Amino acid sequence: MSSNSNGTGANTPESQLESVLPIHPTAARRGNPIVVQSDLTSYSNDYITSKFTNRGADVAVVEGQYIVTPTAKQYEFQTARKVAKTGLMMVGWGGNNGSTLSATILANRHNIIWHTKEGVQQPNYIGSLLRASTVRLGADPSTAKDIHVPISDVLPMVHPNDLVLGGWDISGARLDEAMKRAKVLNYDLQRQVAPYMAELGKPLPSIYYPDFIAANQEARADNVVPGTDKQAHLEHLRADIRRFKAQHALDRVIVFWTANTERYSDIIPGVNDTADNLLSAIKASHPEVSPSTLFAVAAILEGEPFINGAPQNTFVPGVIALAERTRSFIGGDDLKSGQTKLKSVFAEFLVNAGIKPLSIASYNHLGNNDGHNLSAEPQFKSKEISKSSVVDDMVAANALLFKPPQEDAPKGTKAAKGEHPDHIVVIKYVPAVGDSKRAIDEYYSEIFCGGRSTINIFNECEDSLLATPLILDLAILAELLTRIKYRAVPSSGAGAGAVKGAGEFAPLYPVLSLLSYMLKAPLVKPGTDVVNSLNRQRNALETFLKACVGLEGSSDLLLETRIW
């Protein structure tokens, strides 16, 4: 057994357990097993083309009566079958999420098996919506049993093992050192994956503006792009993306913010309210241009998707306008992994059951660097905002329980917002618990005839092990959505220009709201309502993926089981 003399882990002995167990089903490779035989779906060597009818209803209220007119619009989707060779450049690569994601991809790639106190553990992608959950395709006619397939099999998608990893960090620690510092993964896994992590090297220097993150992060900031010229910083980041793409012969690069939560940026007319104003503000090195906004602009100008995994308002109006102008994809905000995901399910359950939540009190404490940064008030406010809005659409959907907003009420008053449960969020930094976050929620509700119900939930989870599969899902979906185009199909007898979108296939709208399932505060097309309901978010994604192969969305009607 050789000794580890240089401290890098590069000559750590190979595991005697490596490759003993078969590859976990969530990490297995499966070709393209789904073929739809239908007039609505066609296959070529390059594309899957499908026809889809988007059904809805227009509703008018006339003297208290609801007049409903069903609508149906025809679309075609075209999905490129060739999966792009994809790089994932993470901002905050050396943090808990970035180092954990890198180590677990490498463990899966090399099928590294390790010991825990419970026994032998194999790598997997449990926690990934795409790799570890399924959708119902239909039923086997001979048995009437449902047939389910992994979501990742519905359309050709990047396998996580194939992602080329890179990124930036204000800390210059090598990735093997960063993994050790994070204290997330079991020691035996760290020991075995360290040589592969060491080969990744250290992150690229990142952008550090002390005003945007907590002062307690300054000690980590030893790997920063020098100077204060934000235009020069923008060009530096663009060059980094181009170099990484060329160096690894990539077709696509996903830029992903998994760094510290920033304070909110002030929205200032003439500074960040339009694309041109924002670009001018960058040239002027305006103090309200945040690092995350700079990374977003760099990715947009390079034509690469940018995903914001933190709660700050990276996507100021000027960023959205720039993405629209360049047709570059953006998505965010804030990874939804534990307490908020559960809240979006539980609040919907209560309201849909006809129970009226009067208050929701959420408390959590954690001891990782994310918790350390959030212990500063400006950064906590960003997180509080993203966590607090999660029940809004569910409350607004039930005017029987909650009084709707009054149109003539003064702006900013409770009447103008409408009735809403009291909702508070508390986050505390407790170093001793490390990455093991504790979350406590109390739901206090009104029930039948003035009764009251109190439900308390305690949730303990390893924060980074819940968050990192979401990064994979978001990156993989972002790549897929760059390969999907659509066009509207004119109604019978209408001219080619009679329907918006008719003609050539066009890319989707730049704001990728289909990513909402993984995000606390989903970014949506300006002027449209945010959907926080987890069930609706998943159903939307599932329906869209099925539409791209010419299948209808999920139906739990099961009419054949309810008639003779």
Side-chain angles (χ1 to χ4, degrees), residues 542-564:
E542 180 180 329
T543 300
F544 179 79
L545 296 177
K546 285 184 173 180
C548 290
V549 291
L551 295 177
E552 291 292 329
S554 299
S555 172
D556 293 322
L557 175 59
L558 301 176
L559 183 61
E560 64 275 12
T561 70
R562 309 183 196 282
I563 58 177
W564 289 102

Side-chain angles (χ1 to χ4, degrees), residues 366-387:
L366 69 166
N368 59 19
N369 192 56
D370 182 38
H372 197 200
N373 181 63
L374 290 174
S375 64
E377 183 64 21
Q379 286 68 40
F380 166 71
K381 291 301 293 183
S382 295
K383 177 67 76 171
E384 183 182 38
I385 291 169
S386 74
K387 277 178 165 283

Side-chain angles (χ1 to χ4, degrees), residues 359-411:
S359 68
I360 303 173
S362 298
Y363 165 87
N364 41 116
H365 67 260
L366 69 166
N368 59 19
N369 192 56
D370 182 38
H372 197 200
N373 181 63
L374 290 174
S375 64
E377 183 64 21
Q379 286 68 40
F380 166 71
K381 291 301 293 183
S382 295
K383 177 67 76 171
E384 183 182 38
I385 291 169
S386 74
K387 277 178 165 283
S388 297
S389 60
V390 70
V391 301
D392 288 356
D393 58 318
M394 304 159 211
V395 169
N398 194 329
L400 299 171
L401 297 178
F402 299 95
K403 296 177 182 177
Q406 297 179 15
E407 294 183 4
D408 57 348
K411 189 176 181 180

Side-chain angles (χ1 to χ4, degrees), residues 48 140 152 178 208 266 269 296 304 347 351 385 395 404 409 448 459 485 493 533 559 561:
I48 301 171
D140 183 335
S152 56
Y208 176 57
D266 293 335
E304 305 294 354
V351 174
I385 291 169
V395 169
F448 189 53
N459 174 27
K485 296 185 177 181
S533 161
L559 183 61
T561 70

Side-chain angles (χ1 to χ4, degrees), residues 46-52 74-81 155 252 327 329 477-489 501 503-509 512 514 544 547-549:
D46 297 324
Y47 299 106
I48 301 171
T49 304
S50 65
K51 297 177 182 177
F52 175 72
Q74 306 287 329
Y75 292 91
E76 286 185 338
F77 293 107
Q78 184 188 74
T79 305
R81 302 183 72 174
L155 287 169
R252 175 68 61 198
R327 295 199 167 192
F329 292 115
L477 280 174
E479 187 283 326
L480 169 64
L481 295 174
T482 66
R483 290 185 282 117
I484 297 176
K485 296 185 177 181
Y486 80 99
R487 65 183 176 190
V489 178
E504 297 297 319
F505 283 101
L508 301 172
Y509 180 73
L512 299 179
L514 281 167
F544 179 79
C548 290
V549 291

